[in-house]
Amino acid sequence: KNQVEQSPQSLIILEGKNCTLQCNYTVSPFSNLRWYKQDTGRGPVSLTIMTFSENTKSNGRYTATLDADTKQSSLHITASQLSDSASYICVVTGDSGYALNFGKGTSLLVTP
Amino acid sequence: EAGVTQFPSHSVIEKGQTVTLRCDPISGHDNLYWYRRVMGKEIKFLLHFVKESKQDESGMPNNRFLAERTGGTYSTLKVQPAELEDSGVYFCASSRLNRDGYTFGSGTRLTVV
């Protein structure tokens, strides 16, 4: 069973709207949690990284939250743009620090 | 700085053939990682190099896969002989320090027919 679960699997929203993507994990011990954006045919690109002590991190229109007690994270996208269409992947690193545990990703489509 | 470069971007080979994937990490990044994504599954860890040494290869699926990083610069991942289930996208990533931000390459899409 995967240690990182994401929801929804896919999402379609209108340009300009907000959306929130969810990530639940069971990786333990925990080192950090990252959100990546992966455009089609490209490698994942880091959006945010949070450690145990951080509960929110912003990067432009992207805001990630982390609740280490419940082992949940969310990625909120504000005022979506067509270029936000991509797969958003939640990645959790255990205490070893190097092996990344990936979720399957949420496929987001922003339509005009 | 140049990013992580992977070659080829796509490869289609027949079952039983050999394929070698190459990854050029960002210059100065001692840590190099191989990951792969098979259809419908999440990206999974294959192995981790620190310079030319294999730090962890626990994710390598079987002995048909051989990774090398001679000289601690670029790395190759050879699949011999390839099987149908090896099809997927193989990603390489590098980082300067362990636990540091990773930079991923665009991946090599391998199709075994």
Side-chain angles (χ1 to χ4, degrees):
Chain A
K1 178 171 168 48
N2 193 20
Q3 299 186 74
V4 181
E5 299 287 346
Q6 292 187 244
S7 63
Q9 184 177 4
S10 61
L11 183 62
I12 301 175
I13 62 173
L14 291 174
E15 184 180 11
K17 296 296 186 182
N18 304 335
C19 67
T20 301
L21 315 180
Q22 301 290 343
C23 174
N24 296 342
Y25 64 92
T26 59
V27 177
S28 181
F30 168 86
S31 177
N32 58 62
L33 184 146
R34 312 163 195 246
W35 281 94
Y36 281 88
K37 178 186 180 187
Q38 185 177 12
D39 293 305
T40 301
R42 310 290 294 181
V45 175
S46 181
L47 295 174
T48 63
I49 177 170
M50 290 181 290
T51 59
F52 183 89
S53 59
E54 298 174 294
N55 55 27
T56 186
K57 183 78 66 84
S58 291
N59 178 2
R61 295 180 295 103
Y62 301 102
T63 299
T65 65
L66 172 65
D67 186 333
D69 291 330
T70 61
K71 298 185 178 179
Q72 296 179 325
S73 176
S74 67
L75 179 69
H76 186 75
I77 304 175
T78 304
S80 61
Q81 299 176 358
L82 298 179
S83 58
D84 293 332
S85 296
S87 178
Y88 290 84
I89 306 173
C90 175
V91 183
V92 181
T93 305
D95 199 44
S96 65
Y98 58 83
L100 305 181
N101 298 280
F102 285 77
K104 287 186 178 182
T106 292
S107 179
L108 174 66
L109 176 63
V110 181
T111 63
Chain B
E1 61 181 1
V4 176
T5 305
Q6 291 189 243
F7 181 83
S9 57
H10 294 80
S11 180
V12 181
I13 62 171
E14 292 184 347
K15 176 183 173 182
Q17 288 187 321
T18 297
V19 63
T20 299
L21 314 180
R22 172 168 169 149
C23 169
D24 286 73
I26 292 174
S27 178
H29 281 196
D30 288 341
N31 293 278
L32 185 149
Y33 316 82
W34 283 99
Y35 289 83
R36 78 170 177 178
R37 182 173 198 160
V38 297
M39 183 70 73
K41 299 290 186 93
E42 67 276 10
I43 298 172
K44 286 192 174 179
F45 169 79
L46 295 179
L47 88 160
H48 169 214
F49 283 100
V50 177
K51 296 184 180 179
E52 68 275 8
S53 300
K54 292 176 185 176
Q55 184 76 10
D56 182 355
E57 53 183 330
S58 61
M60 295 287 264
N62 51 62
N63 59 11
R64 295 185 294 102
F65 289 75
L66 175 64
E68 295 180 322
R69 193 184 182 193
T70 306
T73 54
Y74 70 91
S75 174
T76 58
L77 179 64
K78 179 169 29 176
V79 185
Q80 178 183 29
E83 298 289 343
L84 298 179
E85 64 265 25
D86 300 333
S87 296
V89 182
Y90 290 76
F91 291 103
C92 175
S94 72
S95 67
R96 187 177 301 278
L97 301 171
N98 205 12
R99 299 172 185 260
D100 199 12
Y102 295 70
T103 300
F104 281 84
S106 294
T108 293
R109 179 173 294 279
L110 174 65
T111 303
V112 183
V113 298

